[in-house]
Amino acid sequence: MNSRDPGLAPTLPAALDETAINPFHHGLGLFHAAEPDYRRAVAWFRVAADAGDGDGLAMLGVCQLEGLGMPADAIEARKLLEMAAARGSAMGRFQFGRVLMTGRGGPADEERGLSAYVAAAAMGHAEACFNLANCLYAGVGCLPDRLAAKALYLRSRNLGCTLRPQGVRVQQRELKAVRTLALRFADANRLIFLVQERQQELTLAQAVAQPRSTRVTTAARTRRWRKAGHLAAGVMAAMAGTLGHYLKPTSGDAGPTTMSF
C-alpha cells in the first residue's frame, strides 16, 4: 500500500500483548477522538488492512481520499476502497459506491455505484440504505421508485441512520405498503432481488406506456439494469455522504401524512 510512513508504525504498550489490541478499533478510536490523531489512526488502519481486515482497508481508503493523516490521492484511495469492497466490507462497499457515484479518483459510474449501495444495504449498512433510497427517489443509476425509496428511508432510520431526507412524506394510502416493503428489505437475502425485481417491473410498465419507437431505448436500459443487478452480488464495494445535489424537486405525491421521515 502507498504512502507508508515508517516513523508512524504503531507501538504496543509493554504490558499488552499484540493479541489484546484490535488494530481497526484502536485506529477508529483515534480517528473519532475529541482531538483526532489521524496520522496514528492511519498507521493502525494499515496494520488492520495488512492483517486482512476489510474495514481497516476501507478506513485507510477514506483517509487517503480526504487527506486525513496522509497525502490525499483520490485515484489510489479508489483502488483501496474497491479492494475493501472485494473483501466483503459493508463500509468498503458503501464508500466505493460513493466514489463511483461522484466520480472521485476515476470516471463516474452510477449503475455500479448503485450496485455497491445495494450490496452494502443488504449487509445492514444504515447510510448505504439512505443513499440507495436517495438514488431510487431521484432515479440515479436506475428508474425512479419512490415507494421503495420511502421504505428504504424507513429501513435506514430503523438501522440508526441520523440523516433525514428533506420534504419526503408518506401518504396515508402508502403506509401499509411502505412498512411492508421496509420489513422485506430487512431480509439481507432478499433486498438485492427485491430492488432488481421492482426495477424490471417498472421497466416493463414504462415500455408498455411508451410508443413503439422509443422501446429500443427502454430495452437497452433493461439490459444495463440486469448487468448492474449482477454486479450488486459481485461488486465488493462507510461514513455517510448524501446525494442531495442529485435530488430532484419534490413531486406532487408528497402531501400531508401521518408519518414523515
Side-chain angles (χ1 to χ4, degrees), residues 125-144:
H125 192 286
E127 286 76 25
C129 284
F130 184 88
N131 278 20
L132 175 58
N134 281 344
C135 291
L136 289 169
Y137 194 83
V140 177
C142 59
L143 293 175

Side-chain angles (χ1 to χ4, degrees), residues 44 52-53 120 150 193 246 255:
W44 283 103
D53 189 315
K150 292 172 183 180
F193 170 77
Y246 279 111

Side-chain angles (χ1 to χ4, degrees), residues 68-119:
L68 299 172
M70 62 193 304
D73 187 332
I75 294 175
E76 290 302 316
R78 181 165 170 154
K79 293 177 182 177
L80 294 180
L81 293 173
E82 185 168 13
M83 289 170 58
R87 290 186 184 181
S89 163
M91 184 183 295
R93 291 175 177 180
F94 170 61
Q95 292 292 348
F96 185 48
R98 290 185 64 205
V99 296
L100 286 168
M101 282 289 182
T102 58
R104 297 187 69 180
D109 188 332
E110 291 179 352
E111 289 184 348
R112 286 187 71 206
L114 183 80
S115 296
Y117 283 158
V118 170

Side-chain angles (χ1 to χ4, degrees), residues 5-12 43-44 47:
D5 186 342
L8 288 176
T11 55
L12 299 174
W44 283 103
V47 170

